[in-house]
Amino acid sequence: MLSLSPPKSAGGAMSYFSSQLVEDAQTDPEDYYSNSHEQPGRWRGKAAAALGLAGEVDGKDFARTLLGYGQNFKKLVQNAGDSERRAGQDLTFSAPKTVSVAWALADDAELKSGIEEAQRRAVDKALERIEQDYLFTRRGHGGQDREHAAMVAAVFDHQTSREQDPQLHSHCFVMNVCRREDGTFGTIDNSFFYKIQKELGAYYRVELAKEMQNLGLAVERDGDSYRLKNIDPRLEKQFSKRRDQIESKLAEVGSHSARASETAALDTRKDKEHSSGEALEESWRAQAAELGIDKNNLQAFEPEPESDDNDNDKTPDRMPTHAEILRELTQHASTVSQHQLKAAVYVAAQGVLSADEADQYLDELLADDELIKLRDARNEPRFTSREMLEIEQRLADSARSRQNEQHQVSNEALQQAREAFPTLSEEQQHMLAHVTGDAGVVAVQGMAGTGKSFALAAAREAWEADGKTVIGCALAGKAAAGLRDCRRAPALIRRHCIHSSANWMKDRNNSKKIWLLSWTRPG
C-alpha cells in the first residue's frame, strides 16, 4: 500500500524523522541497532548524488536540505532558510501484513534479512519510477514551463507500527528541491503525487511480490493486493491493531473515503514507543503462541517446495489477455486515464510478473490496435477499447434516430407535476420540460448537488400521470441507491452494465416505458 501524508514544513519533517538521523558520522551502527528495529535513513535520487548526499542520512545534511540549502549553505531555492517552507512530500510504502508477519516470526535469519532487503529493493524501484517519469519542476512566468528534474529523497525504513505490531514500511521523503536539466536547482511540481498514488502503490507491490517468490514464498490474490499464501489469517488480525483503531474511527464518523482515512489515522495516532528488537520478537512469538502457533508449526514461513499442483484459484498463474483487461477497465467507465490503465496492469501483474516485465506487457498493450488513444479537454491522455467505441457509436446512432419520436407528456400531466413540486427552480423547470418532451432519447448533464434528482422526481410524476412506467438504471450501486432514496424516485432500480446499455435503447415497442440512466463521469 502507498499512503500520502500532507506536505510537511521543514520544521515538521525534522521533528518527525529525528529518531532516525545519524547526528555524528562516528556513531556506531551496532549501538543504534541494539536498541531498535528501525535503521538510519538512506539518500536516494540523482540530485542527492549531485549534492554529495549519499549513504546514511546525517541529521545536519537532512536539516540543511529541508531548508533549501546545499553544501556550505548555498541557496538552492528562493525561499531557502524559511522553516515554514513546504519542505517535501512524505510517501509511505507498506508491505502487506502477511509479509510483515513472515519477517517477524521467521527463525531463519537469512529469510528475515532477505525480506528486509526485498522491501528496500521494491521501494527503490518505485522511487526510480517517480524520478524517471513523474518528477517535474516549473519555471517561467506563472510556472508555465514544465521540465523534467532529478530527485532528492531520504528513505527511512520502519519495521513496527505505533502499536508495536510487526509492520514493514518505508517513509520516503521527497524533498522540495530538485536539479533541473541545466544543472540549476528549483522546487518540485508536487501536483502529480495523488494522481499516481494507486499506480505507484501497485507498481511497488508487483516488485515486492516477485521478491517474495524469489525467496520461495507463495503469494495469492487479496483484492487489489496480495498476501503470502500460508500465513494464518489469525496472525494478520492479531498484528493489525493500528488498522483496527482507524477502522473504528471511520465507523464512528460514518465515512470510509481516502480523506476520512487520512484524518482518522491522524486522530488516532499516538507517540511511537521504542523497544529492543529482542523484546519485540519475544512479544510477537508470545502473541502467536496464544493463538496456538509456535515454533513447531511455523513452517508456513519456510520456502515452499515447487509443485505443479494449483488447487487455489486465488493463486495468480497468468496475466489477463489484452481483451480481458480492457473489458474489465471499461465495465464501469467508457474511458480511463493513463494512470488508471497502468494501475490495472500492475494489479494484475502481482505474483505473475516483475515490475520490468509488467512494463513490457504495458508497452505491448499500448501498441495493441484494440486500445484506442484519446485526449480529454485538458489534453491529457485517456484510453478506451475498440469494443467500447463501437458500443458508444451504436448508442449515439440510436439516440439520433429517435429524435423525432412522439413521447411528449400531456399538458395536464406536466401541470400536475409542477403543482406536486412547487419549489422547482427555473433551471429545474427547464429540465422538466426538456426530459418530458418529444425526443426518444434526451440527456441532462450537471454537477453533483444541483438538483437533478429532484427534477427527475417531478418528471416521474408527469410520466406516471400520463400512464407510463418509469424504470431507473445505474452503472454503480451507489448511484442506484441514490435514485432509490431520492424523494418519489423510481421504485424499480436496476444496475446496468455499460456493455448492455444499447439493448434497451433499441426497444421501440415499449412506448409506455421511460428508462432513466444515472451515469457518473469518471474523474
Side-chain angles (χ1 to χ4, degrees), residues 198-233:
K198 290 185 177 180
E199 169 196 338
L200 193 63
Y203 186 78
Y204 150 76
R205 294 195 306 273
V206 169
E207 190 68 7
L208 186 59
K210 180 55 66 174
E211 291 278 357
M212 293 300 101
Q213 291 175 316
N214 291 342
L215 290 171
L217 301 173
V219 304
E220 63 182 6
R221 297 284 190 205
D222 186 19
D224 283 345
S225 185
Y226 69 92
R227 66 186 304 280
L228 297 187
K229 185 176 179 181
N230 292 327
I231 300 296
D232 193 315

Side-chain angles (χ1 to χ4, degrees), residues 294-307:
D294 56 26
K295 286 187 177 181
N296 294 323
N297 53 10
L298 284 179
Q299 66 273 14
F301 307 130
E302 300 303 319
E304 283 198 331
E306 293 187 6
S307 171

Side-chain angles (χ1 to χ4, degrees), residues 141-277:
H141 182 69
Q144 62 183 356
D145 298 324
R146 187 167 177 258
E147 65 178 67
H148 188 265
M151 180 179 67
V152 181
V155 181
F156 302 91
D157 298 309
H158 292 199
Q159 294 158 339
T160 59
S161 71
R162 291 179 180 272
E163 292 299 319
Q164 298 292 277
D165 286 333
Q167 182 57 57
L168 297 177
H169 62 287
S170 300
H171 289 275
C172 303
F173 196 79
V174 179
M175 297 283 184
N176 191 20
V177 171
C178 61
R179 189 171 186 264
R180 303 183 183 117
E181 293 175 344
D182 63 3
T184 61
F185 285 82
T187 57
I188 64 172
D189 176 4
N190 68 347
S191 62
F192 72 92
F193 283 112
Y194 285 93
K195 294 179 182 179
I196 67 170
Q197 183 174 4
K198 290 185 177 180
E199 169 196 338
L200 193 63
Y203 186 78
Y204 150 76
R205 294 195 306 273
V206 169
E207 190 68 7
L208 186 59
K210 180 55 66 174
E211 291 278 357
M212 293 300 101
Q213 291 175 316
N214 291 342
L215 290 171
L217 301 173
V219 304
E220 63 182 6
R221 297 284 190 205
D222 186 19
D224 283 345
S225 185
Y226 69 92
R227 66 186 304 280
L228 297 187
K229 185 176 179 181
N230 292 327
I231 300 296
D232 193 315
R234 293 176 298 165
L235 290 171
E236 290 180 80
K237 176 67 175 176
Q238 177 66 28
F239 293 129
S240 298
K241 302 181 191 70
R242 181 76 181 113
R243 183 69 243 171
D244 290 344
Q245 290 175 348
I246 295 172
E247 290 292 345
S248 296
K249 186 66 176 181
L250 290 172
E252 179 184 321
V253 300
S255 175
H256 286 77
S257 68
R259 187 174 296 275
S261 295
E262 290 177 4
T263 302
L266 291 172
D267 289 346
T268 58
R269 174 178 288 172
K270 67 178 186 180
D271 290 339
K272 195 167 186 178
E273 300 174 1
H274 293 281
S275 302
S276 70

Side-chain angles (χ1 to χ4, degrees), residues 38-111:
E38 296 176 0
Q39 304 169 9
R42 62 187 195 277
W43 291 108
R44 287 294 181 269
K46 295 177 181 178
L51 288 171
L53 302 173
E56 293 179 350
V57 178
D58 176 272
K60 296 182 179 65
D61 289 339
F62 187 70
R64 188 176 60 248
T65 311
L66 288 173
L67 291 169
Y69 291 117
Q71 298 288 352
N72 301 317
F73 283 89
K74 178 183 178 181
K75 289 184 68 171
L76 301 176
V77 294
Q78 290 183 356
N79 62 347
D82 184 354
S83 64
E84 295 304 313
R85 71 179 295 271
R86 178 174 290 185
Q89 181 74 50
D90 182 16
L91 291 71
T92 305
F93 293 92
S94 300
K97 178 58 71 173
T98 51
V99 174
S100 297
V101 171
W103 167 81
L105 298 180
D107 272 337
D108 186 342
E110 186 176 346
L111 177 60

Side-chain angles (χ1 to χ4, degrees), residues 219-420:
V219 304
E220 63 182 6
R221 297 284 190 205
D222 186 19
D224 283 345
S225 185
Y226 69 92
R227 66 186 304 280
L228 297 187
K229 185 176 179 181
N230 292 327
I231 300 296
D232 193 315
R234 293 176 298 165
L235 290 171
E236 290 180 80
K237 176 67 175 176
Q238 177 66 28
F239 293 129
S240 298
K241 302 181 191 70
R242 181 76 181 113
R243 183 69 243 171
D244 290 344
Q245 290 175 348
I246 295 172
E247 290 292 345
S248 296
K249 186 66 176 181
L250 290 172
E252 179 184 321
V253 300
S255 175
H256 286 77
S257 68
R259 187 174 296 275
S261 295
E262 290 177 4
T263 302
L266 291 172
D267 289 346
T268 58
R269 174 178 288 172
K270 67 178 186 180
D271 290 339
K272 195 167 186 178
E273 300 174 1
H274 293 281
S275 302
S276 70
E278 184 177 335
L280 283 171
E281 290 182 4
E282 184 177 338
S283 170
W284 295 335
R285 291 190 179 279
Q287 292 178 62
E290 289 177 2
L291 299 174
I293 301 172
D294 56 26
K295 286 187 177 181
N296 294 323
N297 53 10
L298 284 179
Q299 66 273 14
F301 307 130
E302 300 303 319
E304 283 198 331
E306 293 187 6
S307 171
D308 293 332
D309 297 331
N310 183 7
D311 57 359
N312 187 344
D313 59 6
K314 292 183 179 180
T315 301
D317 58 353
R318 69 170 183 87
M319 283 295 288
T321 65
H322 292 175
E324 289 170 340
I325 205 162
L326 290 176
R327 191 166 293 116
E328 177 64 26
L329 274 167
T330 55
Q331 280 292 314
H332 302 292
S334 59
T335 68
V336 296
S337 69
Q338 187 171 27
H339 303 306
Q340 290 169 323
L341 180 68
K342 289 183 176 182
V345 168
Y346 297 146
V347 167
Q350 294 172 117
V352 184
L353 305 175
S354 67
D356 288 339
E357 291 168 339
D359 283 336
Q360 182 178 349
Y361 175 98
L362 182 63
D363 289 341
E364 294 168 355
L365 175 61
L366 289 170
D368 194 320
D369 290 340
E370 293 303 307
L371 182 70
I372 305 299
K373 301 169 184 63
L374 309 167
R375 291 278 174 178
D376 64 14
R378 294 168 295 186
N379 203 35
E380 295 289 336
R382 294 194 72 84
F383 301 89
T384 190
S385 65
R386 188 172 301 280
E387 179 185 23
M388 176 55 60
L389 195 63
E390 292 171 353
I391 289 172
E392 288 201 333
Q393 187 61 56
R394 292 199 300 271
L395 286 169
D397 290 345
S398 177
R400 280 192 290 268
S401 70
R402 300 185 61 181
Q403 291 308 295
N404 297 320
E405 294 181 8
Q406 299 299 311
H407 295 288
Q408 186 172 13
V409 300
S410 66
N411 290 332
E412 293 79 5
L414 195 59
Q415 183 60 33
Q416 179 177 323
R418 288 173 176 146
E419 292 174 356

